[in-house]
Every structure is written in C-alpha cells, then in structure tokens.
Amino acid sequence: MRNTLVMLLGAVLLTACGGGSDTSSTTSTATTTSLNVMEMLDSHNQTRAAVAVMPLIWSSQMTDYAQQWANHLATNNGCQMQHRSVAGMNPLNAGENLYWASAVQWTDGRTEVQSITSAHVASAWASEIADYDYASNTCVPGKMCGHYTQMVWRNSTEVGCAMAICPDKGQIWVCNYNPQGNVLGEKPY
C-alpha cells in the first residue's frame, strides 16, 4: 500500500533582530553537514549585490554561535523559534535570522525531515524584498521584511549559519551577522 503525504507544514519565519546579552551555552546535538556553506553565502551575496552592498564573508565564529543557538532551540526550547536577543542570550550582539520547517508527516504515522536547502532558506528571507519599502524604510503593514534587511545590511561584513534537527524531526536554521543590522531608524543600504 502506497503511503500518501497527509500534511507538509510550511516553513515559518521570525522577524530578524539582534541585541541582548548573556553568556549561556549549550551542547552540540547537530552539525552543519546539512547546510551548504557556499550555497548559503552565495545566496546572501547575490541578494546584497542586487542593491550594490559589499559581499559578506563566512565566519567560523558566527557559525559556531549559530550552531549553539540552533541546538539550544532544538533541544531546550521545544523547537520553538526565539531570538537570542529576546531570550537575553546574545553576548556577541550579533544580528540573527531564524527559519523553521516542520517534519513531513505520513498517513502511516511516519515522520521525516523535510529536504530544505540552504538556498531555499536564504531565498525565503530574500523574498521579503517584496514587502520592504526603501523610501519609508518600513515593511508593508502586516508583513515581515527584517530578514531581508538584515541580509543586505551595509555594515554587516560576516555571516555564519547552522541548523539543528528537532526531536520531532522539524528543523531550526539560524544565521548570525556581525555587526548586527536592523538598527532602528537607519536604512539598510
């Protein structure tokens, strides 16, 4: 008997932000092996090039920082998205983008990790350009654009990203940016 896909919950985005401070740490439960570094970096830099912003470089420090937070969210936070700054746990004062995807759930009760690529995650954030008004430096009412503005923030020079698989086979993706963007009242470029 052929199993059919019952439900594939879509990915959810959380508005980008930064700030906060604390020195909490977590243990590593996942690696960045599912994350394609060049694909993620190229996607970010293509988005930046479209608005004539200098390219980002990949940072091992930001990658380790992102992995720590992805692991924390997957294991200690019930796979719920929360920014480090909101949790008061951002000692590096890094900017941050988050992405969540549910597990695939089959009619026979099986669950699987969705096949999500680094390019897909970056593209989801970059697509928020449609909801960003540069002239007023605001998002369309009821829409998000903070992921996009963090991606293209002119003062950010480094990025590092990671992902973790949650106990329910959902997944959390985290990118951290140095220096952080989305400074209130400033345009990204």
Side-chain angles (χ1 to χ4, degrees):
M1 183 169 147
R2 187 172 181 210
N3 289 321
T4 57
L5 182 63
V6 189
M7 175 181 6
L8 178 64
L9 296 176
V12 176
L13 304 175
L14 187 65
T15 306
C17 62
S21 65
D22 189 53
T23 56
S24 299
S25 65
T26 60
T27 58
S28 179
T29 58
T31 65
T32 58
T33 56
S34 297
L35 185 139
N36 183 314
V37 171
M38 288 311 300
E39 190 175 87
M40 184 64 84
L41 186 60
D42 288 347
S43 295
H44 272 78
N45 286 335
Q46 288 170 8
T47 302
R48 292 171 69 86
V51 293
V53 176
M54 294 297 293
L56 296 170
I57 60 169
W58 194 260
S59 164
S60 60
Q61 180 185 28
M62 289 294 104
T63 300
D64 292 345
Y65 199 60
Q67 188 67 64
Q68 178 189 45
W69 193 242
N71 292 344
H72 171 80
L73 294 176
T75 59
N76 301 320
N77 205 45
C79 211
Q80 298 295 310
M81 289 192 302
Q82 181 182 34
H83 283 285
R84 279 180 180 269
S85 59
V86 173
M89 300 170 70
N90 192 6
L92 296 183
N93 204 30
E96 186 171 81
N97 279 346
L98 301 177
Y99 181 95
W100 173 83
S102 69
V104 175
Q105 298 178 350
W106 298 90
T107 56
D108 65 359
R110 288 180 300 123
T111 58
E112 296 176 1
V113 175
Q114 277 194 64
S115 178
I116 304 286
T117 66
S118 299
H120 174 84
V121 172
S123 177
W125 293 331
S127 71
E128 292 176 1
I129 189 174
D131 299 318
Y132 176 65
D133 178 48
Y134 182 81
S136 66
N137 193 32
T138 60
C139 300
V140 170
K143 300 288 185 170
M144 287 188 283
C145 64
H147 299 99
Y148 166 73
T149 56
Q150 175 58 79
M151 286 180 81
V152 298
W153 198 264
R154 71 191 173 287
N155 294 336
S156 294
T157 59
E158 299 178 324
V159 65
C161 305
M163 62 88 62
I165 304 298
C166 304
D168 68 356
K169 297 186 182 172
Q171 54 194 288
I172 296 278
W173 293 69
V174 178
C175 283
N176 285 127
Y177 303 84
N178 183 41
Q180 73 176 347
N182 291 338
V183 177
L184 191 61
E186 291 185 26
K187 289 186 176 182
Y189 50 87

